[in-house]
Amino acid sequence: MRLIRLYTEEPLNVGSSVSLKKNFYHYLSKVLRAKENQAIVLFDNSGFNYFGYVKNITSKSYDIFIEKKTFHEKTNSHIEIAFSVCKNPCSDVIIQKLTELGIDSIQPIISTNSIFNQKKINSEKKISHWKNISVSSSEQSERNYLPNIQKIISYQEYIEKCKYKQKIILDTKSEVMLPSIYNKSINSSSILVGPEGDFTDEEYIYAKESNFSSASLGDNILRVETAAISAFSYIKIINNSDSNE
């Protein structure tokens, strides 16, 4: 039997059972077809993994008995990708892939050239949708902590409120490549990714006046999701290397 891993906000305690109902029941019964005695790992964003098995199945719930738990510390580094909101599936792909890669924080922003329907956007509904995507991605990628998905704010508000020690804005015109400017010894970093139509000259100037350094990912013009995923992948490689060249 394969190991099932699920995120839940239900109270979890070793030596007792938790009853998973509603959406969990449908997912376990119809999608995963979980049976009694099947091993399951539950996590709740606390850093603990709870190991148990399906003890009982009723017509409405799966009862999971928890046998043990293990704890995983958060890393000291804190990295945020701020991206300009784009039409789906672009934004969904960004959330999914950054979660799989291990991003700490995701900040959606509205810039001048952001491509979205402002009249139809529902921020709370959108954030809830993205959290569901991040939950599924965390289950699949065996993350112990969910990424922090921030509420949608304007470009100007983000620039004004950004308190990260290392602040970088991606700029195709920059002669400096991201790997050469990123310093992994600084454990608090923000990477700002522009829309399909790029940031305006005024937005670049405002960022640089606010102590953002500019960096490039190369000569090619990248889609928003490609740029966001590539930027964080570079950072992951640098952070996991033995030296910071």
Side-chain angles (χ1 to χ4, degrees):
M1 292 184 181
R2 68 189 182 88
L3 188 63
I4 296 172
R5 191 167 184 272
L6 296 174
Y7 169 78
T8 179
E9 295 179 353
E10 295 289 332
L12 301 173
N13 296 289
V14 174
S16 62
S17 295
V18 59
S19 184
L20 301 182
K21 304 176 181 179
K22 297 181 179 179
N23 292 339
F24 283 110
Y25 178 80
H26 179 270
Y27 184 57
L28 285 166
S29 63
K30 305 300 182 182
V31 180
L32 298 178
R33 300 186 182 277
K35 307 297 182 183
E36 287 190 5
N37 297 318
Q38 183 144 16
I40 288 186
V41 177
L42 303 176
F43 69 107
D44 59 358
N45 207 34
S46 66
F48 283 101
N49 279 329
Y50 295 83
F51 295 82
Y53 63 92
V54 178
K55 186 175 182 179
N56 185 47
I57 303 173
T58 71
S59 61
K60 294 183 178 180
S61 69
Y62 272 72
D63 295 331
I64 313 300
F65 183 79
I66 300 172
E67 297 179 294
K68 66 177 182 177
K69 65 180 180 180
T70 59
F71 182 72
H72 299 265
E73 291 278 0
K74 269 190 174 182
T75 60
N76 291 327
S77 63
H78 189 80
I79 301 167
E80 179 171 86
I81 295 289
F83 75 95
S84 195
V85 175
C86 45
K87 288 183 179 180
N88 279 337
C90 166
S91 293
D92 288 2
V93 169
I94 290 173
I95 302 298
Q96 179 188 40
K97 299 307 179 185
L98 290 182
T99 298
E100 290 177 13
L101 287 167
I103 193 70
D104 302 291
S105 179
I106 302 174
Q107 174 63 71
I109 62 170
I110 304 294
S111 59
T112 301
N113 292 327
S114 294
I115 302 175
F116 72 104
N117 191 326
Q118 190 168 11
K119 292 182 179 179
K120 291 185 178 181
I121 196 166
N122 182 322
S123 295
E124 290 186 7
K125 185 176 180 180
K126 183 66 71 175
I127 296 299
S128 177
H129 170 68
W130 286 337
K131 181 178 178 180
N132 288 336
I133 291 174
S134 74
V135 165
S136 295
S137 296
S138 295
E139 291 171 347
Q140 179 271 327
S141 60
E142 298 189 1
R143 283 190 63 151
N144 297 298
Y145 298 93
L146 301 177
N148 188 6
I149 301 177
Q150 311 284 353
K151 69 175 184 178
I152 302 171
I153 60 175
S154 70
Y155 174 89
Q156 181 174 350
E157 184 179 359
Y158 182 70
I159 296 296
E160 291 173 353
K161 292 184 175 181
C162 186
K163 302 299 182 183
Y164 287 86
K165 296 177 182 178
Q166 182 172 214
K167 301 186 289 187
I168 299 172
I169 183 170
L170 297 185
D171 183 355
T172 56
K173 302 181 185 68
S174 176
E175 296 181 357
V176 181
M177 292 290 290
L178 177 62
S180 65
I181 196 174
Y182 174 76
N183 186 348
K184 76 173 183 179
S185 65
I186 301 175
N187 62 3
S188 171
S189 304
S190 167
I191 310 296
L192 186 50
V193 182
E196 297 288 348
D198 205 355
F199 289 126
T200 64
D201 291 340
E202 291 75 16
E203 286 171 334
Y204 276 120
I205 291 171
Y206 186 43
K208 291 172 184 177
E209 289 176 345
S210 302
N211 298 318
F212 275 79
S213 300
S214 63
S216 172
L217 293 175
D219 297 332
N220 294 349
I221 304 299
L222 305 178
R223 292 174 61 91
V224 181
E225 65 269 38
T226 308
I229 296 165
S230 297
F232 188 60
S233 296
Y234 269 129
I235 290 171
K236 286 277 288 186
I237 293 170
I238 294 170
N239 285 347
N240 291 329
S241 66
D242 294 331
S243 62
N244 187 29
E245 298 178 352

